[in-house]
Amino acid sequence: MVRYSKLAFRTLVRKYDCDLCYTPMIIAADFVKSAKARNSEFTTNQGDKPLVVQFAAKESQVLADAARYVSPFAGGIDVNCGCPQRWAMSEGYGACLINQPELVSDMVKTVHNQVENPSFSVSIKIRIHSDISRTVDLCRKAEAAGVSWITVHGRLTEERHQPVHYDSIKIIKESVSIPVVANGDIKNLKEVSQIHQITGADGVMAARGLLANPAMFAGYEETPLSCIQDWIDISLEHGTPFACFHHHLIYMLERITSKQEKRVFNVLSSTSAVLNYLKDNYGV
């Protein structure tokens, strides 16, 4: 999640039974060219495991160079083949790659050939085609190239809030031998179980659902106050910028605050104001 799944938030969700975390999407070319980009875009620590670094890339060698930089600190990389944003696709990144299976396969092979650690994973995250046979072909070619697993967001590139095509994820799972992870509109642990049953997927990935409730995988229906307290402690320890600190709390409080409370909380403009509000209203 661009801007959101940084180290502090990964630390939080790991406390609440999240098994595997991804970094925000990082543009591989910028990461390779600039030490400043590497220092600002990728931070981790000893407790941040297992970790996958997600890259936006369109050139195999650039991706492999980026992978080599992070390989001592992460368990693998993921190639973003699913981002539908116009800027990403216009640059040749994200969901446009689902129409270039040969390039995706070559990127997977190149990283495997150039990263010395044999256990280093190379995965891809994709969206689906309206003709699911094209997606199956992409996945089979990636499998033949040695991809470690495939995460499938069950929507077309042009779809945003339409229902997720879980039936398509099921078809993909039945068409390959490697692990498949289901993604799209997972909001609670009950839905995790249901989607696993529907798709047969080996794992379930959540994004916006975890923003709203970082304790989701631990079985909480809404963000518990203990999780909010943990976020305060972790984010202050990590020196999280105020905008990020505040935005995460806006998401976490979404289901447990009234419209009037939201109007007050959402315009707070300093860490001290936020802390005072939470102490006065929630005893946090």
Side-chain angles (χ1 to χ4, degrees), residues 184-201:
D185 279 3
I186 291 103
K187 299 183 181 70
N188 56 58
L189 199 60
K190 184 179 178 182
E191 290 183 357
V192 169
S193 180
Q194 290 171 340
I195 290 159
H196 170 65
Q197 293 287 329
I198 292 167
T199 64

Side-chain angles (χ1 to χ4, degrees), residues 118-133:
S119 64
F120 192 76
S121 67
V122 184
S123 58
I124 60 174
K125 183 172 186 284
I126 65 171
R127 284 194 172 225
I128 60 172
H129 300 86
S130 56
D131 177 359
I132 195 62
S133 66

Side-chain angles (χ1 to χ4, degrees), residues 152-155 164 166 169 181-196 203-213 216-217 255:
V152 184
H153 182 103
R155 286 190 174 100
V164 178
Y166 295 117
I169 300 177
V181 176
N183 174 236
D185 279 3
I186 291 103
K187 299 183 181 70
N188 56 58
L189 199 60
K190 184 179 178 182
E191 290 183 357
V192 169
S193 180
Q194 290 171 340
I195 290 159
H196 170 65
V204 175
M205 172 190 280
R208 285 180 298 186
L210 274 182
L211 283 180
N213 179 10
M216 181 181 79
F217 285 137
R255 299 177 191 170

Side-chain angles (χ1 to χ4, degrees), residues 4 211-212 223 231 242-257 262 265-268 274:
Y4 290 113
L211 283 180
T223 309
W231 172 243
F242 173 74
C244 182
F245 168 69
H246 189 212
H247 284 167
H248 274 293
L249 286 168
I250 289 172
Y251 279 113
M252 291 181 208
L253 293 169
E254 174 68 26
R255 299 177 191 170
I256 57 178
T257 52
K262 287 182 178 66
F265 185 80
N266 293 1
V267 298
L268 296 176
V274 167

